[in-house]
Amino acid sequence: MATGQDRRLRARDIDRAVVATALDTAYADGQLTFDEHRSRVAAARTATTLGDLHALAADLQAAVPLPEAIRPAPGPSRRPVIVGLLVVVLVLGVAVVLAVRGSDAPSSPSVAAPSSSVGPGATAAGTVTPIVARPFVFDTPEGLADFRDRWITRFGDPEVTELVLYPSDDRASLTRLAESDRVRDVSVRGGFAESAATSPRETDELPFDLTALDVAALAGLMAGSASFVEVPDASVTHVIVRNEGVPEVLVYAADADGRGGYLQATLAGEVSRVSPHRP
């Protein structure tokens, strides 16, 4: 841990990068909201001292070690070194004069190439390897199951009132119960960003259990969406899972020109209605 004196030391680019990585990880595992993550990363990029950086991550369960001051090892005083260098210079000067007088051909002194070294704890390029949070994938059975499990781990409750997936953008939005008559929005993109505000729950906005959603069946519906809407180049634009009396899944698909349609199914993947494209 940095001491009080260390905290006043100037921060390096590598220090700022390490703290930004810690903030990214904290956002991905739910310690920070979207707004908190954005403001802290911006502050980390312009931090002046190690103390500034430590303040941005002091309340986090950091998975990355925070930067510490790197101090050079103590060495001898500079005066003996300077005196020694003067003696060496004088000896070399005398040697050069004698060599010139004793030879008609001038000689060129050889100069040793400076050696480069990399300090401890840094790479040759002075970079750090970022820690990247595992992204969400919403169009495969494995990706949907992973999302469901991470949601339950994060919030401890599989019940939500609405789920909207955007598979091509690897993002989602959900609405969960905050109180008996209020709901709270959650944005999902690499992590969970929960809104601080709540809103009244509509009478037809009923909860459903994420574990009741057949993820393999849903992935199959998305994979076959082009044939359902009868547009060969159509791809899924978004998926809505909701409960307005009966839990249902709506898969919308369209091509680049906006031609498309949707299909309606149960949480088990049984198709109950198809609305294909009609010119």
Side-chain angles (χ1 to χ4, degrees):
M1 181 177 294
T3 65
Q5 184 176 3
D6 291 342
R7 290 175 182 271
R8 293 193 295 270
L9 294 177
R10 307 286 289 196
R12 303 163 299 168
D13 285 341
I14 191 172
D15 301 324
R16 299 182 184 95
V18 167
V19 171
T21 298
L23 295 171
D24 290 343
T25 304
Y27 171 65
D29 61 23
Q31 295 186 61
L32 296 176
T33 66
F34 175 79
D35 291 335
E36 289 172 333
H37 171 262
R38 181 174 56 182
S39 63
R40 292 196 191 195
V41 168
R45 289 173 180 160
T46 57
T48 304
T49 66
L50 290 182
D52 296 336
L53 291 174
H54 276 252
L56 295 172
D59 60 341
L60 302 178
Q61 300 181 50
V64 231
L66 297 179
E68 300 287 344
I70 298 178
R71 298 183 178 279
S77 64
R78 297 182 60 187
R79 179 170 294 181
V81 173
I82 294 173
V83 173
L85 287 174
L86 290 175
V87 171
V88 171
V89 170
L90 289 174
V91 171
L92 289 176
V94 172
V96 169
V97 171
L98 293 177
V100 170
R101 288 182 178 178
S103 174
D104 293 332
S107 60
S108 300
S110 61
V111 179
S115 61
S116 61
S117 61
V118 179
T123 64
T127 59
V128 292
T129 302
I131 297 176
V132 180
R134 185 173 75 255
F136 288 109
V137 177
F138 296 111
D139 57 2
T140 68
E142 298 79 11
L144 289 166
D146 173 65
F147 161 70
R148 177 197 61 208
D149 295 343
R150 289 163 70 179
W151 171 273
I152 296 173
T153 299
R154 172 70 174 83
F155 295 103
D157 184 0
E159 281 200 336
V160 298
T161 59
E162 185 179 63
L163 164 64
V164 183
L165 304 174
Y166 303 91
S168 61
D169 293 335
D170 294 332
R171 65 185 180 90
S173 63
L174 296 93
T175 306
R176 61 188 295 260
L177 291 172
E179 301 165 9
S180 59
D181 59 345
R182 301 189 71 81
V183 292
R184 190 187 308 274
D185 294 331
V186 181
S187 175
V188 182
R189 191 164 195 167
F192 298 105
E194 188 174 25
S195 171
T198 62
S199 57
R201 181 167 68 94
E202 302 294 336
T203 54
D204 60 351
E205 196 175 3
L206 303 175
F208 66 91
D209 193 327
L210 282 176
T211 61
L213 180 63
D214 189 325
V215 294
L218 176 55
L221 292 177
M222 287 192 282
S225 60
S227 62
F228 280 110
V229 301
E230 300 178 11
V231 179
D233 296 328
S235 60
V236 175
T237 57
H238 61 290
V239 176
I240 300 175
V241 186
R242 65 190 182 188
N243 181 8
E244 295 183 347
V246 177
E248 61 181 357
V249 176
L250 301 169
V251 179
Y252 295 82
D255 64 8
D257 296 323
R259 296 174 300 181
Y262 72 93
L263 64 92
Q264 185 175 350
T266 66
L267 298 189
E270 299 171 352
V271 177
S272 57
R273 179 182 178 185
V274 175
S275 178
H277 171 69
R278 289 291 179 260

